Amino acid sequence: MRNLVLGNEALAQGAIDAGLSGVYAYPGTPSTEITEYIQHSKTAKEDHIHYNWSANEKTAMEAALGMSYAGKRSMVVMKHVGLNVASDVFMNMSVSGVNGGLVVVVADDPSMHSSQNEQDSRFYGKFAMVPILEPSNQQEAYDFMQYAFDLSEEIKLPVLFRMVTRLSHSRSGVEFRAKKRKQNPIKLPEDTRQFALIPAYAKIQFEKLVKKKPVLIEKSETSVYNRLCLSKRDKSLGIIACGIAYNYVMENVDEDKDFFSILKISQYPLPKKKIKELYDYCDEILVVEEGYPMIEEILHNYFDENDKIKGKLSGALPLTGELNPNMVGNATGFFHDKPKKLPNIVKGRPPQLCEGCGHTDLFNAINTLLPEIGNKKVFGDIGCYALGALPPLNTINTLIDMGASITMAKGAADAGLENVIAVIGDSTFTHSGMTGLLDAVNEKTPITVVISDNSSVAMTGAQDSSAVGRLESICLGIGVEPEHLITIIPLKKNHDKNVEILRKEIWHKGVSVIISQRACVRLSRDKKEEIKQKIASLN
Amino acid sequence: MNANIILSGVGGQGILTIAAVLDTAALNEGLYVKQSEVHGMSQRGGAVESHVRISDKEIYSDLIPQGKADLILSVEPMELLRYIPFLKNDGWLLTDSHTFVNIIDYPERHELYKQIKLFPNHIIIKATNVAKDLGNSKAANMVLLGASSTLLPISEESIRNAIRQLFEPKGEKVVNLNLVAFESGINLAKKYSEFVF
Ligand SMILES: Cc1ncc(C[n+]2csc(CCOP(=O)(O)OP(=O)(O)O)c2C)c(N)n1
Ligand code: SF4
């Protein structure tokens, strides 16, 4: 039977069937549905698989490593920029190695459908010297999971599992064909020195890691997921196609699978021998890869012959944005008709804050004060409220990475800028805003931090926020003075009152925190009730 | 057989439901399906698209190539025109006439209809009005799906079954509303000659 599932869901089911004991994650498009699928899975509940959200990607990955230390299979899931946050543990756990299987799922977002950049996670995998798996379709997303965990336990390393938006968010019929594996029992590492990276042990571990490289390459050479097909008819072009990019090549050659020689890559480090075979067989090599031109660069290194290798660097494919079948068609010589022109009459339609959203009332209050405090002083962060950077609101001036509103505001205040404001969401605050607030409190930096608290991680589909019921106590604990910690309710009828409070705090020469508190209007009544009860139980 | 369908509209207008019905029906007929969709933005009001591909052979690309769509089915006329670069030469355009105006520079709607009429194969229907008459304007998506039924590679009966299957958890009333909306769409398209505005 084929099940109609997203690439993300296929992967999640694959992990459950592979004997997963826990998933750790912080939401982030396009990765969110993986964890949500496990949260809604009956089997996961019955088997007591851990699936609650973590505060951020670093805490998630460390917890996953702890579960692996105890001998069980764990998975950590994030969007590409999440790996920046978790990179400290990621780089070090490749040195320590793992005990139970550990799979790191990272979903890249080429074309930035919902992200600040289009960084390519394969570089992290290469940097950390761990194997990378890159499925090209939904069935592979399912099938690869079993292999990923087995591989991780066999070579005692974390395995990076790379997804991209178009696979994460595309549905297809998938067979859940593996027999469900039992979870591992608790089994502590034979020698815990592996996990104690004081220099003396770290040196030994790093040596071990470096020595694993030939083993990993050999695994890639013999992997069924790296398939080389040499064309008997045509030697003019050999194509190296990775992950989802393979589909765009096949879309163009259609039925005629012997049209070109093709090396499909779904497992890294790269199988050098297979690549050499293709290289020697063909007059020209085209690398089709989603993301940065990583393989193309490596090939230039291998062969030192630039003209024969084509791809993003040579200009055959664009350096930015995601690939599509038309681009790949053009690069392989399957020219398509020129598509019809987009009629001029069509106007852009960006998403907007929902009708009645509390963020809007907060921005209106801040905007009222801009004439007196001056423009360009509102440091923003990531979440629904980032739409405050767009017209008609135009309140927010910056958006860099999660948590940067508070710390950038601090830096600007340190530079001498007055009346500086940071706007941050509740989930973003507990993700990575709290530590920055501590810096500001320690130095009594004159900034006003506004936490726009909608009791939810709204941007990614209303997941539970770790901040619920805890913001005040966190701020007080960090050392914010109680008289400068004020809660307001962002509603039209409170506008004047809220402006007054904001004005006073913005002119205060120290740290003020204003919690602007109103639940996201998209939360269901049940959810709102659940939140109320949680808050009550905390008080 | 190979059908490429682009669904378009504004976030919250129900195009992912149309996609789900098509996917389910196709899978039940034993066909291959790929359907990519836009996810992640909670906020409403932005342009949303989904690519649905149905075939009796394995499908590779999750995205429909430009110039290869057999049908663009839109819940909103300007959103229909946004995907014109995907349309095949002899492809079909089908849209609700009802506009969703949430931007200040939204074009004059008669200009939109005029542009759509430049393409020989087009159907413009008042799906929202029909759905309203049936008791819920949200069912406009099923009216449109009905109107597209002769252009689809799957049987009407499979689609009816898929509608039953998908709406069943919401109760019989919802199932029936959507089935009736689907039938109205079929009839509208049968009678369709020209959209007059
Ligand atoms: C490191 C990192 N992880 C995850 C994301 C995705 N993401 C952006 S903002 C956000 C949470 C927003 O929640 P909150 O701050 O409460 O704002 P809201 O959307 O509720 O207004 C998430 C999950 C990201 N951009 N960067
Ligand atoms: S989803 Fe919630 S937080 Fe986001 S714009 Fe809508 S109401 Fe505001």
Side-chain angles (χ1 to χ4, degrees), chain A residues 2 4 33 138 169-172 248 251 255 257 326 339-340 347 349 352 384 458-459 461 522, chain B residues 23 31 33 35 37 39-40 42-44 47 53 57 60-62 66 76 79 82 87 89 100 102:
Chain A
R2 287 178 300 155
L4 187 64
E33 299 80 11
Q138 293 79 355
H169 287 174
S170 174
R171 270 172 222 284
S172 186
Y248 302 142
E251 180 73 25
E255 315 258 282
K257 297 205 168 92
N326 297 72
K340 295 179 183 51
K347 301 290 184 289
R349 194 185 316 246
Q352 301 169 349
C384 281
M459 169 92 179
R522 297 273 306 280
Chain B
D23 296 349
L31 297 166
V33 189
Q35 180 235 323
E37 55 192 53
H39 264 244
S42 280
Q43 316 92 358
R44 297 288 169 101
R53 313 193 72 188
K57 296 186 300 279
Y60 287 102
S61 171
D62 297 86
Q66 290 192 329
E76 209 278 349
E79 293 311 316
R82 193 181 301 285
L87 189 68
N89 278 334
F100 189 102
N102 65 345

Side-chain angles (χ1 to χ4, degrees), chain B residues 33-109:
Chain B
V33 189
K34 270 201 176 172
Q35 180 235 323
S36 75
E37 55 192 53
V38 184
H39 264 244
M41 289 291 190
S42 280
Q43 316 92 358
R44 297 288 169 101
V48 170
E49 63 175 291
S50 175
H51 291 207
V52 181
R53 313 193 72 188
I54 301 172
S55 174
D56 50 11
K57 296 186 300 279
E58 184 179 355
I59 302 163
Y60 287 102
S61 171
D62 297 86
L63 294 174
I64 295 171
Q66 290 192 329
K68 291 282 160 70
D70 302 286
L71 166 66
I72 303 176
L73 191 169
S74 183
V75 190
E76 209 278 349
M78 185 176 80
E79 293 311 316
L80 175 80
L81 290 169
R82 193 181 301 285
Y83 301 95
I84 287 297
F86 285 89
L87 189 68
K88 227 185 202 169
N89 278 334
D90 57 352
W92 278 85
L93 300 177
L94 167 63
T95 184
D96 192 347
S97 59
H98 188 74
T99 54
F100 189 102
V101 184
N102 65 345
I103 48 172
I104 37 175
D105 55 350
Y106 192 91
E108 219 284 304
R109 70 192 165 101

Side-chain angles (χ1 to χ4, degrees), chain A residues 12-13 177 238 264 277 291 334 374 392 395 409 462:
Chain A
Q13 183 64 46
R177 52 193 172 199
K264 174 180 185 280
E277 201 179 336
F334 288 98
T395 313

Side-chain angles (χ1 to χ4, degrees), chain A residues 369-385:
Chain A
L369 290 164
L370 291 183
E372 58 191 271
I373 62 173
N375 285 324
K376 304 190 188 176
K377 295 180 176 179
V378 184
F379 292 85
D381 228 299
I382 317 186
C384 281
Y385 52 96

